[in-house]
Amino acid sequence: MGAPRADSAGLTKRTDEVTVYRIFLLALSRFVPAETAHEAVMGLLRFISAHSFLRRLLRSAFVLRAPELAVKTLGQTFPSPLGLAAGFDKNAEVYDVLADFGFAFVEIGTVTWRAQEGNPRPRLFRLPKDRALINRMGFNNVGADAV
């Protein structure tokens, strides 16, 4: 094994460590179509949502209780400035689990009156050189009654 080293945040890492986590993320980010990867992650989050011990484990690993990070704005106080923008959880299925990852707020995205499929696939595209995504999903969601 390589010697531990400190990164820019002062956290130690092994230089030659290969973990299941890294392999999983590498596969999802490079070899699986973007929308399929998103659906796989949503499935994993639904599984976690059904198991309280996993949720407690996530909270203990990711939720940072640091009063100096609190943000007060528009009459609200958020425990940190970290939030998740609209669109990841379009049907409000796992927003509570996303909070267990340390997000202080989660926007679910546009919900239409009736369910709709959104744009035809493919509609989510990776731009690896730019480290970006193009999202042309449209307003695919299960509709207001279901949400």
Side-chain angles (χ1 to χ4, degrees):
M1 285 194 171
R5 64 177 176 81
D7 66 8
S8 61
L11 302 174
T12 58
K13 296 181 180 179
R14 293 211 175 265
T15 55
D16 64 349
E17 186 177 75
V18 177
T19 63
V20 173
Y21 172 78
R22 287 184 181 171
I23 292 169
F24 177 73
L25 286 181
L26 177 67
L28 280 179
S29 67
R30 295 211 177 132
F31 306 115
V32 176
E35 192 166 353
T36 303
H38 178 263
E39 291 165 351
V41 169
M42 289 297 293
L44 178 61
L45 293 173
R46 283 189 292 272
F47 176 81
I48 292 169
S49 180
H51 297 86
S52 61
F53 73 96
L54 291 174
R55 297 199 50 204
R56 283 191 303 276
L57 182 66
L58 284 175
R59 280 192 297 274
S60 68
F62 292 107
V63 176
L64 180 63
R65 303 283 183 219
E68 63 273 14
L69 292 179
V71 175
K72 295 180 182 185
T73 184
L74 303 172
Q76 301 255 347
T77 301
F78 298 97
S80 81
L82 182 63
L84 185 62
F88 182 81
D89 184 11
K90 288 180 168 274
N91 295 315
E93 296 176 274
V94 295
Y95 62 89
D96 52 344
V97 176
L98 293 169
D100 296 338
F101 278 95
F103 291 107
F105 61 92
V106 176
E107 294 183 60
I108 62 168
T110 301
V111 177
T112 56
W113 184 253
R114 293 190 179 96
Q116 60 183 48
E117 295 181 19
N119 293 324
R121 292 181 187 219
R123 54 193 179 179
L124 190 59
F125 308 91
R126 289 189 184 102
L127 301 176
K129 290 181 183 177
D130 298 316
R131 298 178 64 186
L133 288 171
I134 295 176
N135 177 346
R136 295 186 183 143
M137 305 270 292
F139 296 139
N140 55 309
N141 67 90
V142 295
D145 285 340
V147 172

Coordinates of all heavy atoms in Angstrom, one line a residue, residues 7-75:
D7 N -4.5 15.6 1.6 CA -4.9 16.4 0.4 C -5.1 17.9 0.8 O -4.7 18.3 1.9 CB -6.2 15.8 -0.1 CG -7.4 15.9 0.8 OD1 -7.3 16.6 1.8 OD2 -8.5 15.4 0.5
S8 N -5.6 18.7 -0.1 CA -5.7 20.1 0.2 C -6.6 20.5 1.4 O -6.5 21.5 2.0 CB -6.2 20.9 -1.1 OG -7.4 20.4 -1.5
A9 N -7.5 19.6 1.7 CA -8.4 19.8 2.8 C -7.9 19.3 4.1 O -8.5 19.4 5.2 CB -9.8 19.1 2.6
G10 N -6.6 18.7 4.0 CA -6.0 18.1 5.2 C -6.5 16.7 5.6 O -6.1 16.2 6.6
L11 N -7.2 16.1 4.7 CA -7.7 14.7 4.9 C -6.7 13.7 4.4 O -6.0 14.0 3.3 CB -9.0 14.5 4.2 CG -10.2 15.4 4.7 CD1 -11.4 15.2 3.8 CD2 -10.5 15.2 6.1
T12 N -6.5 12.6 5.0 CA -5.5 11.7 4.6 C -6.1 10.7 3.6 O -7.3 10.3 3.8 CB -4.8 10.9 5.7 OG1 -5.8 10.3 6.5 CG2 -4.0 11.9 6.6
K13 N -5.4 10.3 2.6 CA -5.8 9.3 1.6 C -4.7 8.4 1.3 O -3.5 8.8 1.3 CB -6.3 10.0 0.3 CG -7.5 10.9 0.5 CD -7.8 11.5 -0.8 CE -9.0 12.4 -0.7 NZ -9.4 13.0 -2.0
R14 N -5.0 7.2 1.0 CA -3.9 6.3 0.4 C -3.8 6.5 -1.1 O -4.8 6.6 -1.8 CB -4.3 4.8 0.7 CG -4.3 4.5 2.2 CD -3.9 3.1 2.4 NE -3.7 2.8 3.8 CZ -2.6 2.9 4.4 NH1 -1.5 3.2 3.8 NH2 -2.5 2.6 5.7
T15 N -2.6 6.6 -1.5 CA -2.4 7.0 -2.9 C -2.8 5.9 -3.9 O -3.1 6.1 -5.0 CB -0.9 7.4 -3.2 OG1 -0.1 6.4 -2.7 CG2 -0.7 8.7 -2.4
D16 N -2.7 4.6 -3.5 CA -3.0 3.5 -4.4 C -4.3 2.8 -4.0 O -4.5 1.7 -4.5 CB -1.8 2.5 -4.4 CG -1.6 1.9 -3.0 OD1 -2.2 2.3 -2.0 OD2 -0.8 0.9 -2.9
E17 N -5.1 3.4 -3.2 CA -6.3 2.7 -2.8 C -7.3 2.6 -3.9 O -7.7 3.6 -4.5 CB -6.9 3.5 -1.6 CG -8.1 2.8 -1.0 CD -8.5 3.6 0.2 OE1 -9.2 4.7 0.0 OE2 -8.3 3.2 1.4
V18 N -7.8 1.4 -4.2 CA -8.9 1.2 -5.1 C -10.0 0.6 -4.3 O -9.9 -0.4 -3.8 CB -8.5 0.3 -6.3 CG1 -9.6 0.0 -7.2 CG2 -7.3 0.8 -7.0
T19 N -11.2 1.3 -4.3 CA -12.3 0.9 -3.5 C -13.5 0.5 -4.4 O -13.5 0.9 -5.6 CB -12.7 2.0 -2.5 OG1 -13.2 3.1 -3.3 CG2 -11.6 2.4 -1.6
V20 N -14.4 -0.3 -3.8 CA -15.6 -0.6 -4.6 C -16.3 0.7 -4.9 O -16.9 0.8 -6.0 CB -16.5 -1.5 -3.7 CG1 -17.8 -1.8 -4.4 CG2 -15.7 -2.9 -3.5
Y21 N -16.3 1.6 -4.0 CA -17.0 2.9 -4.2 C -16.4 3.6 -5.5 O -17.2 4.0 -6.4 CB -16.7 3.8 -3.0 CG -17.2 5.2 -3.1 CD1 -18.5 5.6 -3.0 CD2 -16.3 6.2 -3.3 CE1 -18.9 6.9 -3.1 CE2 -16.6 7.5 -3.4 CZ -18.0 7.9 -3.3 OH -18.4 9.2 -3.4
R22 N -15.1 3.7 -5.6 CA -14.5 4.3 -6.8 C -14.8 3.5 -8.1 O -15.1 4.1 -9.1 CB -13.0 4.5 -6.6 CG -12.7 5.5 -5.6 CD -11.2 5.7 -5.5 NE -10.9 6.7 -4.5 CZ -9.7 7.0 -4.1 NH1 -8.7 6.3 -4.6 NH2 -9.5 7.9 -3.2
I23 N -14.7 2.2 -8.0 CA -15.0 1.4 -9.2 C -16.5 1.6 -9.6 O -16.8 1.7 -10.8 CB -14.7 -0.1 -8.9 CG1 -13.2 -0.3 -8.7 CG2 -15.3 -1.0 -10.0 CD1 -12.8 -1.6 -8.2
F24 N -17.4 1.6 -8.6 CA -18.8 1.8 -8.9 C -19.1 3.1 -9.6 O -19.7 3.2 -10.6 CB -19.6 1.7 -7.6 CG -21.1 1.9 -7.8 CD1 -21.9 1.0 -8.4 CD2 -21.6 3.1 -7.3 CE1 -23.3 1.2 -8.5 CE2 -23.0 3.3 -7.4 CZ -23.8 2.4 -8.0
L25 N -18.5 4.2 -9.0 CA -18.7 5.5 -9.6 C -18.0 5.7 -11.0 O -18.6 6.3 -11.9 CB -18.1 6.6 -8.7 CG -19.0 6.9 -7.4 CD1 -18.4 8.0 -6.6 CD2 -20.4 7.2 -7.8
L26 N -16.9 5.0 -11.2 CA -16.2 5.1 -12.5 C -17.1 4.4 -13.5 O -17.3 4.9 -14.6 CB -14.8 4.4 -12.4 CG -14.1 4.3 -13.7 CD1 -13.7 5.6 -14.2 CD2 -12.9 3.4 -13.5
A27 N -17.6 3.2 -13.2 CA -18.5 2.5 -14.1 C -19.7 3.3 -14.5 O -20.1 3.5 -15.6 CB -18.9 1.2 -13.6
L28 N -20.4 3.9 -13.4 CA -21.6 4.7 -13.7 C -21.3 6.0 -14.5 O -22.1 6.4 -15.3 CB -22.2 5.1 -12.3 CG -23.1 4.1 -11.7 CD1 -23.6 4.6 -10.4 CD2 -24.2 3.6 -12.6
S29 N -20.1 6.6 -14.2 CA -19.8 7.8 -14.9 C -19.2 7.7 -16.3 O -19.3 8.6 -17.1 CB -18.9 8.7 -14.0 OG -17.6 8.1 -14.0
R30 N -18.7 6.5 -16.6 CA -18.1 6.4 -17.9 C -18.7 5.4 -18.9 O -18.7 5.6 -20.1 CB -16.6 6.0 -17.7 CG -15.8 7.1 -17.0 CD -14.4 7.1 -17.5 NE -13.7 8.3 -16.8 CZ -12.6 8.2 -16.2 NH1 -12.0 7.0 -16.2 NH2 -12.1 9.2 -15.6
F31 N -19.2 4.3 -18.3 CA -19.7 3.2 -19.2 C -21.2 3.0 -19.3 O -21.6 2.3 -20.1 CB -19.0 1.9 -18.8 CG -17.5 2.0 -18.7 CD1 -16.8 1.9 -17.5 CD2 -16.8 2.3 -19.8 CE1 -15.4 2.1 -17.4 CE2 -15.4 2.4 -19.8 CZ -14.7 2.3 -18.6
V32 N -21.9 3.6 -18.4 CA -23.4 3.5 -18.4 C -24.0 4.8 -18.9 O -23.5 5.9 -18.5 CB -23.8 3.2 -16.9 CG1 -25.3 3.1 -16.8 CG2 -23.2 1.9 -16.4
P33 N -25.0 4.7 -19.8 CA -25.6 6.0 -20.2 C -26.0 6.8 -19.1 O -26.5 6.3 -18.0 CB -26.8 5.5 -21.1 CG -26.4 4.1 -21.5 CD -25.6 3.5 -20.4
A34 N -25.9 8.1 -19.2 CA -26.2 9.0 -18.1 C -27.5 8.8 -17.4 O -27.6 8.8 -16.2 CB -26.0 10.5 -18.6
E35 N -28.6 8.7 -18.2 CA -29.9 8.6 -17.6 C -30.1 7.2 -16.9 O -30.7 7.1 -15.9 CB -31.0 8.8 -18.7 CG -32.4 8.9 -18.0 CD -33.4 9.4 -19.0 OE1 -33.1 9.8 -20.1 OE2 -34.6 9.5 -18.6
T36 N -29.4 6.2 -17.5 CA -29.5 4.9 -16.8 C -28.7 4.9 -15.5 O -29.2 4.3 -14.5 CB -28.9 3.8 -17.7 OG1 -29.6 3.8 -19.0 CG2 -28.9 2.4 -17.1
A37 N -27.6 5.6 -15.4 CA -26.9 5.8 -14.2 C -27.7 6.5 -13.2 O -27.7 6.1 -12.0 CB -25.6 6.5 -14.5
H38 N -28.4 7.5 -13.6 CA -29.3 8.3 -12.7 C -30.4 7.4 -12.1 O -30.6 7.4 -10.9 CB -29.9 9.5 -13.4 CG -30.8 10.3 -12.6 ND1 -32.2 10.1 -12.7 CD2 -30.6 11.2 -11.7 CE1 -32.8 10.9 -11.8 NE2 -31.9 11.6 -11.2
E39 N -31.0 6.6 -13.0 CA -32.0 5.6 -12.5 C -31.4 4.6 -11.5 O -32.1 4.3 -10.6 CB -32.7 4.9 -13.7 CG -33.5 5.9 -14.6 CD -33.8 5.3 -15.9 OE1 -33.3 4.3 -16.3 OE2 -34.6 6.0 -16.6
A40 N -30.2 4.1 -11.8 CA -29.6 3.2 -10.8 C -29.4 3.8 -9.5 O -29.6 3.2 -8.4 CB -28.3 2.7 -11.4
V41 N -28.9 5.1 -9.5 CA -28.7 5.8 -8.2 C -30.0 6.0 -7.5 O -30.1 5.8 -6.3 CB -27.9 7.1 -8.4 CG1 -27.9 8.0 -7.2 CG2 -26.5 6.8 -8.9
M42 N -31.0 6.4 -8.2 CA -32.3 6.6 -7.6 C -32.8 5.2 -7.0 O -33.4 5.3 -5.9 CB -33.4 7.1 -8.6 CG -33.1 8.5 -9.1 SD -33.3 9.7 -7.7 CE -35.1 9.5 -7.4
G43 N -32.6 4.1 -7.7 CA -33.0 2.8 -7.1 C -32.3 2.5 -5.8 O -32.8 2.1 -4.8
L44 N -31.0 2.8 -5.8 CA -30.2 2.7 -4.6 C -30.7 3.5 -3.5 O -30.8 3.1 -2.3 CB -28.7 2.9 -4.9 CG -27.8 2.9 -3.7 CD1 -27.7 1.5 -3.1 CD2 -26.4 3.3 -4.1
L45 N -31.0 4.8 -3.8 CA -31.5 5.7 -2.8 C -32.9 5.3 -2.2 O -33.2 5.4 -1.0 CB -31.6 7.1 -3.3 CG -30.3 7.8 -3.6 CD1 -30.4 9.1 -4.3 CD2 -29.4 7.9 -2.4
R46 N -33.8 4.7 -3.1 CA -35.0 4.1 -2.6 C -34.8 3.0 -1.7 O -35.5 2.8 -0.7 CB -35.9 3.7 -3.8 CG -36.6 4.9 -4.5 CD -37.6 4.4 -5.5 NE -37.0 3.7 -6.7 CZ -36.6 4.4 -7.8 NH1 -36.7 5.7 -7.9 NH2 -36.0 3.7 -8.8
F47 N -33.8 2.1 -2.0 CA -33.5 1.0 -1.1 C -33.0 1.6 0.3 O -33.5 1.1 1.3 CB -32.4 0.2 -1.7 CG -31.9 -0.9 -0.8 CD1 -32.6 -2.1 -0.7 CD2 -30.7 -0.8 -0.1 CE1 -32.1 -3.1 0.1 CE2 -30.3 -1.8 0.8 CZ -31.0 -3.0 0.9
I48 N -32.1 2.6 0.3 CA -31.6 3.2 1.5 C -32.8 3.8 2.3 O -32.9 3.6 3.5 CB -30.6 4.2 1.2 CG1 -29.3 3.5 0.7 CG2 -30.2 5.1 2.4 CD1 -28.3 4.5 0.1
S49 N -33.7 4.4 1.6 CA -34.9 5.0 2.2 C -35.7 4.1 3.1 O -36.2 4.4 4.1 CB -35.8 5.7 1.2 OG -36.9 6.3 1.7
A50 N -35.7 2.8 2.6 CA -36.5 1.8 3.3 C -35.8 1.2 4.5 O -36.4 0.3 5.2 CB -36.9 0.7 2.3
H51 N -34.6 1.6 4.8 CA -33.8 0.9 5.9 C -33.2 2.0 6.8 O -32.2 2.7 6.5 CB -32.7 0.1 5.3 CG -33.2 -1.0 4.5 ND1 -33.5 -0.9 3.1 CD2 -33.5 -2.3 4.8 CE1 -33.9 -2.1 2.7 NE2 -33.9 -2.9 3.7
S52 N -33.8 2.2 7.9 CA -33.5 3.2 8.9 C -32.0 3.1 9.3 O -31.4 4.2 9.5 CB -34.4 3.3 10.1 OG -34.4 2.1 10.8
F53 N -31.5 1.9 9.5 CA -30.1 1.8 9.9 C -29.1 2.4 8.9 O -28.1 3.0 9.2 CB -29.7 0.4 10.3 CG -29.6 -0.6 9.2 CD1 -28.3 -0.8 8.6 CD2 -30.7 -1.2 8.6 CE1 -28.1 -1.7 7.6 CE2 -30.5 -2.1 7.5 CZ -29.3 -2.3 7.0
L54 N -29.4 2.2 7.6 CA -28.6 2.8 6.6 C -28.7 4.3 6.6 O -27.7 5.0 6.4 CB -29.0 2.3 5.2 CG -28.7 0.8 4.9 CD1 -29.3 0.4 3.6 CD2 -27.2 0.5 5.0
R55 N -29.9 4.8 6.8 CA -30.0 6.3 6.9 C -29.3 6.9 8.1 O -28.6 7.9 7.9 CB -31.5 6.6 7.0 CG -32.2 6.2 5.7 CD -33.5 6.8 5.4 NE -33.4 8.2 5.5 CZ -34.5 9.0 5.8 NH1 -35.7 8.5 6.0 NH2 -34.4 10.3 5.9
R56 N -29.3 6.2 9.2 CA -28.5 6.6 10.4 C -27.0 6.6 10.1 O -26.3 7.5 10.4 CB -28.8 5.8 11.6 CG -30.1 6.1 12.3 CD -30.3 5.5 13.6 NE -30.1 4.0 13.6 CZ -31.1 3.2 13.4 NH1 -32.3 3.6 13.1 NH2 -30.9 1.9 13.4
L57 N -26.6 5.6 9.4 CA -25.2 5.5 9.0 C -24.8 6.6 8.1 O -23.7 7.2 8.3 CB -24.9 4.1 8.3 CG -23.5 3.8 7.9 CD1 -22.6 3.7 9.1 CD2 -23.5 2.5 7.1
L58 N -25.6 6.9 7.1 CA -25.3 8.0 6.2 C -25.2 9.4 7.0 O -24.3 10.1 6.8 CB -26.4 8.2 5.1 CG -26.4 7.2 4.0 CD1 -27.6 7.4 3.1 CD2 -25.1 7.3 3.2
R59 N -26.2 9.6 7.8 CA -26.2 10.8 8.6 C -24.9 11.0 9.4 O -24.3 12.1 9.5 CB -27.4 10.9 9.5 CG -28.7 11.4 8.8 CD -29.8 11.7 9.7 NE -30.3 10.6 10.5 CZ -31.2 9.7 10.2 NH1 -31.8 9.8 9.0 NH2 -31.5 8.7 11.0
S60 N -24.5 9.9 10.0 CA -23.3 10.0 10.9 C -22.1 10.2 10.0 O -21.1 10.8 10.5 CB -23.1 8.7 11.7 OG -22.8 7.6 10.9
A61 N -22.1 9.8 8.8 CA -20.9 10.0 7.9 C -20.9 11.3 7.2 O -19.8 11.9 6.9 CB -20.8 8.8 6.9
F62 N -22.1 11.8 6.8 CA -22.1 13.0 5.9 C -22.7 14.3 6.5 O -22.4 15.3 6.0 CB -22.9 12.6 4.7 CG -22.3 11.6 3.8 CD1 -22.7 10.3 3.7 CD2 -21.1 11.9 3.1 CE1 -22.1 9.4 2.9 CE2 -20.5 11.0 2.3 CZ -21.0 9.7 2.2
V63 N -23.5 14.2 7.5 CA -24.1 15.4 8.1 C -23.2 16.1 9.0 O -22.8 15.5 10.1 CB -25.5 15.1 8.7 CG1 -26.1 16.4 9.3 CG2 -26.5 14.6 7.7
L64 N -22.8 17.3 8.7 CA -21.8 18.0 9.5 C -22.6 19.0 10.4 O -23.3 19.8 9.8 CB -20.8 18.8 8.6 CG -19.8 19.6 9.3 CD1 -18.9 18.7 10.2 CD2 -19.0 20.3 8.2
R65 N -22.4 18.9 11.7 CA -23.1 19.9 12.6 C -22.1 21.0 12.9 O -21.3 20.8 13.9 CB -23.6 19.2 13.8 CG -24.5 18.0 13.6 CD -25.9 18.5 13.2 NE -26.8 17.4 13.0 CZ -27.7 17.3 12.1 NH1 -27.9 18.4 11.3 NH2 -28.5 16.3 12.0
A66 N -22.1 22.0 12.2 CA -21.1 23.1 12.4 C -21.9 24.4 12.4 O -22.3 24.9 11.3 CB -20.0 23.1 11.4
P67 N -22.2 25.0 13.5 CA -23.1 26.2 13.5 C -22.5 27.4 12.7 O -23.3 28.1 12.1 CB -23.0 26.6 15.0 CG -22.7 25.4 15.8 CD -21.8 24.6 14.8
E68 N -21.2 27.4 12.5 CA -20.6 28.5 11.6 C -21.0 28.3 10.2 O -20.8 29.3 9.4 CB -19.1 28.6 11.8 CG -18.3 27.3 11.4 CD -18.2 26.3 12.5 OE1 -18.9 26.3 13.5 OE2 -17.4 25.4 12.3
L69 N -21.5 27.2 9.7 CA -21.9 27.0 8.4 C -23.4 27.4 8.1 O -23.8 27.4 7.0 CB -21.7 25.5 8.0 CG -20.3 25.0 7.8 CD1 -20.3 23.5 7.5 CD2 -19.5 25.8 6.8
A70 N -24.1 27.6 9.2 CA -25.5 28.0 9.0 C -25.7 29.2 8.2 O -24.9 30.1 8.2 CB -26.2 28.2 10.4
V71 N -26.8 29.2 7.3 CA -27.1 30.3 6.4 C -28.5 30.7 6.8 O -29.4 29.9 6.8 CB -27.0 29.8 5.0 CG1 -27.4 30.9 4.0 CG2 -25.6 29.4 4.6
K72 N -28.6 32.0 7.0 CA -29.9 32.6 7.3 C -30.3 33.5 6.1 O -29.6 34.4 5.7 CB -29.9 33.5 8.5 CG -29.7 32.7 9.8 CD -29.7 33.5 11.0 CE -29.4 32.6 12.2 NZ -29.5 33.3 13.5
T73 N -31.4 33.2 5.4 CA -31.9 33.9 4.3 C -33.4 33.8 4.1 O -33.9 32.7 4.4 CB -31.1 33.4 3.0 OG1 -31.5 34.3 1.9 CG2 -31.4 32.0 2.6
L74 N -34.0 34.8 3.6 CA -35.4 34.8 3.4 C -36.3 34.3 4.5 O -37.2 33.5 4.3 CB -35.7 34.1 2.1 CG -35.0 34.6 0.8 CD1 -35.2 33.6 -0.3 CD2 -35.4 36.0 0.4
G75 N -35.9 34.6 5.7 CA -36.6 34.1 6.9 C -36.4 32.7 7.2 O -37.2 32.1 8.1

